[in-house]
Amino acid sequence: MKLLSLTTVIASLLTSVLARSSVHLVSNNENTLGSTPEVSMNSFSMFYSHMMDTASDHPVLRLQNDNNINTLKDVQEIASLLPKSSNLFEKKVDGNMVVIVSGAKSDMFDTSFYVSDDEPENYASLVESNVDEMIKNNEALAITTYKDQEATIKTGSNAIEKITQDEQMYQSFKSDFSEFNTDLFNIENEADNKFITEIQVVKDLSQNNNQDEIRIIEMNTLQLIGQKYGFKSNEYEEAQLIVKDLFEKFVIPNFQQLHSRGVSTFILTPPSSINKEKRALPVEETCFKTFSACKNGTSNCSGNGQCTKIQENCYTCACKSSSYIGESCQYINAVGDFQLLFWTSVLLVVITASVVVCVYQSGNIVDGGIIMAQSLPKQD
């Protein structure tokens, strides 16, 4: 029994090491994949850059080794989910919305594919860096963003409108989601208040019929609800149902109606009981004033990341995945690989020990497991 418990613990630890995010694509393309593949963060980065037409100088295209060939195959497979066009000069999509939800279970939607990265910040950095690249080529680009309880409508990098909530927020929340048990949430509690605010701001944002080409929505309060009440609690389960209803009733229909060839990408990163601290401002040497300065000063983040604007006049490298670290993403992070190797070795040792014990116990019977036959009396 003790060995079985230890095996369960090791398996649980391995699951946490191998955590991944699920991605759900919504578009007018009815094509589906025969299976649900899992791709690397590099593959997803290249796929998104391809979709947004910013893939011409993608780092993964520089060296055609076996790994990059596999990446290209992955990208080709998931790219079949994008809208089709017979016009080579037509943009792949006329509208793109990315919704990153921290702390969501993958069964919220039917998963299109998985990505072997569970850090919401990595996805946000990837999307933001692509948008920054697009703004350089088109300063009239219409963009709507939501992050940290506030939605902003921009033209290029210039904000023209902000959407916030009024005092009737809680009553509107109860009315909009009356089919759910909204009484579970107390607006006096910080996590509940942030959750309600986030739901209402995103709902109002979706009903704003501005012709934005890009929407970036980062939602983290489902994670907060899970950390406060537990990821098996009624509060968390109800909160996830409300988030799903928000998407299906308000967010998706409105955006797809505005854009006939629009693509909505929902990235669900798995629940985590750890409350991660906000990313600190880099030291002065790693904070570049412009995108070009960052790109040139870091050799384009050593080909392992992208320069990202983290605040006004401050660009720094956002590594493609947790496999790379350093100011220029120049170092390979061996911690994750070591953990995988270590825990896999431990699991194999536990399994081997369990088998040996079982074999030993199965042979531990009277007289060492040897049956002695009784001899007949000697005949004269």
Side-chain angles (χ1 to χ4, degrees), residues 23-38:
V23 177
H24 176 69
L25 292 184
V26 181
S27 72
N28 63 0
N29 181 19
E30 297 181 356
N31 186 37
T32 58
L33 302 178
S35 59
T36 309
E38 179 173 343

Side-chain angles (χ1 to χ4, degrees), residues 49-62:
S49 299
H50 167 72
M51 178 170 63
M52 304 305 291
D53 292 317
T54 58
S56 59
D57 189 36
H58 198 281
V60 84
L61 296 174
R62 294 177 186 171

Side-chain angles (χ1 to χ4, degrees), residues 67 76 92 99 108 114 121 130 140 149 162 182 203 221 238 300 310 327 368 374:
N67 182 58
Q76 290 174 348
K92 296 181 180 65
V99 183
M108 181 183 291
Y114 295 99
E121 296 84 3
N130 273 268
Q149 314 282 293
K162 292 189 177 182
T182 55
K203 187 214 75 172
T221 59
E238 202 72 8
N300 198 19
I310 62 171
E327 298 171 357
Q374 184 176 3

Side-chain angles (χ1 to χ4, degrees), residues 1-14 346-347 349-352 354:
M1 183 63 69
K2 289 183 178 179
L3 284 173
L4 179 61
S5 300
L6 182 57
T7 303
T8 304
V9 170
I10 299 299
S12 176
L13 289 170
L14 277 172
V346 171
L347 181 60
V349 170
V350 170
I351 293 174
T352 303
S354 301

Side-chain angles (χ1 to χ4, degrees), residues 115-144:
V115 182
S116 55
D117 193 299
D118 62 347
E119 298 292 336
E121 296 84 3
N122 291 340
Y123 296 100
S125 296
L126 168 65
V127 175
E128 290 164 4
S129 60
N130 273 268
V131 172
D132 286 342
E133 188 73 21
M134 295 174 69
I135 291 174
K136 288 170 57 181
N137 300 322
N138 180 12
E139 295 183 355
L141 191 67
I143 306 165
T144 300

Side-chain angles (χ1 to χ4, degrees), residues 136-295:
K136 288 170 57 181
N137 300 322
N138 180 12
E139 295 183 355
L141 191 67
I143 306 165
T144 300
T145 62
Y146 168 81
K147 185 177 182 179
D148 296 334
Q149 314 282 293
E150 186 176 84
T152 305
I153 301 172
K154 303 177 181 179
T155 300
S157 57
N158 300 316
I160 58 176
E161 182 183 351
K162 292 189 177 182
I163 300 176
T164 56
Q165 275 300 312
D166 55 26
E167 296 178 357
Q168 301 300 319
M169 174 185 59
Y170 186 49
Q171 295 304 320
S172 299
F173 171 75
K174 297 185 70 172
S175 175
D176 292 333
F177 303 96
S178 57
E179 62 268 41
F180 301 98
N181 187 5
T182 55
D183 291 334
L184 286 173
F185 306 101
N186 182 357
I187 200 169
E188 300 298 325
N189 295 331
E190 182 180 6
D192 299 31
N193 190 306
K194 288 185 175 182
F195 172 71
I196 294 169
T197 301
E198 183 168 86
I199 293 295
Q200 291 306 113
V201 172
V202 172
K203 187 214 75 172
D204 290 349
L205 175 67
S206 69
Q207 294 178 319
N208 191 322
N209 292 324
N210 57 298
Q211 294 294 324
D212 52 352
E213 297 178 46
I214 298 175
R215 288 186 188 178
I216 308 172
I217 300 174
E218 300 176 50
M219 303 177 66
N220 65 355
T221 59
L222 189 59
Q223 178 85 285
L224 298 180
I225 292 293
Q227 290 170 348
K228 177 175 175 58
Y229 296 104
F231 290 98
K232 294 183 178 180
S233 65
N234 293 333
E235 288 83 356
Y236 175 80
E237 295 295 339
E238 202 72 8
Q240 183 161 263
L241 290 174
I242 290 173
V243 171
K244 182 178 180 180
D245 192 64
L246 167 72
F247 295 157
E248 293 178 343
K249 186 187 296 182
F250 300 103
V251 176
I252 294 175
N254 177 273
F255 192 77
Q256 296 303 127
Q257 184 178 0
L258 291 174
H259 303 283
S260 60
R261 303 186 73 258
V263 175
S264 300
T265 306
F266 292 84
I267 303 170
L268 312 180
T269 64
S272 172
S273 58
I274 302 173
N275 192 359
K276 299 175 182 177
E277 295 181 357
K278 291 185 177 181
R279 182 182 178 186
L281 178 67
V283 294
E284 186 176 354
E285 288 75 16
T286 65
C287 189
F288 297 88
K289 290 186 177 181
T290 65
F291 178 86
S292 298
C294 174
K295 189 174 181 179

